[in-house]
Amino acid sequence: MTRESALGYGRHMSAPPATPLDDAGALAAEAARTIAHRTGVLGHDIAVVLGSGWAGVADALGHTVAELNQSEVPGFSQSPVVGHAGKIRSIRAGDRAVLAFLGRTHLYQDLGVDATVHYVRTAAAAGCRTLVVTNGCGGLREEWPPGTPVLIRDHINLTGITPLRGATFVDLTDAYSARLRAIVQAVSPGIPEGVYTQFHGPQYETPAEIGMVRAIGGDLVGMSTAVEVIAAREAGLEVLGISLVTNYAAGMTGQPITSEEVLDTGQASATRIGDLLARLLPEV
Ligand code: 8IG
């Protein structure tokens, strides 16, 4: 569904005067109303987005109250990426109402940055105060083999893209909440922490690009998360980021990176990372 049709403006009607940010906010509010109506859950507390390799953990998070296709909710596109189911699930985890997004829209789908961060704005409009963002990624550290969960401590946005419009000076100090990371460290002592570097994709990096990431302080590489977290901080959400290393970054093993490796690692790790997330949600 296009934004215009989602808002009830047909092709035959002229769009209202362009106020892009209000427009994005209005579409998120409409998505939140649809979610409330279709799930019967009037407000949610915690949003979780499950990225590559994380699809198998959804069932571990709690009791499923309702599930929708993302394509049924205004502003969401059907995600075509294998391993991304394109669902929205309302989950009861203890006393928390969790809004889980199974699959996300990526920048490389060329649907625009607003489509990429729409789930974040929708989560905020649905009442969420916390965002747990997960992804599958390449790892630059030898000591973090595929299958290692890593807490995101900070990010480097190499996409050249921002979800912010105009002079919106959002502070990203402590974007990845030190409070929430301390809770994870209590639940899962010794979990490593690293700096996530977002590329636009969809190509994986060259070995030379991985050399650059290393030089500027990146530990993880992927194609999501940083731009979403910027939108989350604009919306006032407290953010917890967890990466699952699904492959060594380009040039580290002498082997190519394959989608099979990425998916296999996710499946093999589902029980462990599902358990981690499930124990975490009641604490955040
Ligand atoms: I899964 O090695 C996954 N996503 N940019 N590089 C980038 N994205 C990824 C990678 C990777 N692995």
Side-chain angles (χ1 to χ4, degrees), residues 34-103:
T34 299
I35 290 168
H37 181 243
R38 295 280 315 278
T39 62
V41 179
L42 296 189
H44 286 85
D45 305 310
I46 304 171
V48 179
V49 60
L50 299 175
S52 316
W54 291 80
V57 318
D59 291 341
L61 301 185
H63 167 73
T64 298
V65 176
E67 184 175 84
L68 315 178
N69 291 313
Q70 289 189 7
S71 57
E72 301 172 83
V73 179
F76 285 86
S77 62
Q78 194 66 60
S79 176
V81 181
V82 180
H84 292 234
K87 305 281 185 184
I88 296 173
R89 197 181 277 192
S90 180
I91 299 168
R92 175 57 61 173
D95 63 347
R96 310 298 162 96
V98 176
L99 188 59
F101 297 88
L102 285 62

Side-chain angles (χ1 to χ4, degrees), residues 11 16 47 55 70 112 153 163 165 195-196 207 215-216 225 242 246 277 284:
R11 276 181 198 286
Q70 289 189 7
R153 174 168 59 79
R165 233 70 56 82
V195 173
Y196 180 92
I216 64 177
T225 302
I242 314 177
T246 55
L277 263 194
V284 304

Side-chain angles (χ1 to χ4, degrees), residues 239-251:
V239 175
L240 174 65
I242 314 177
S243 287
L244 176 68
V245 175
T246 55
N247 56 275
Y248 279 115

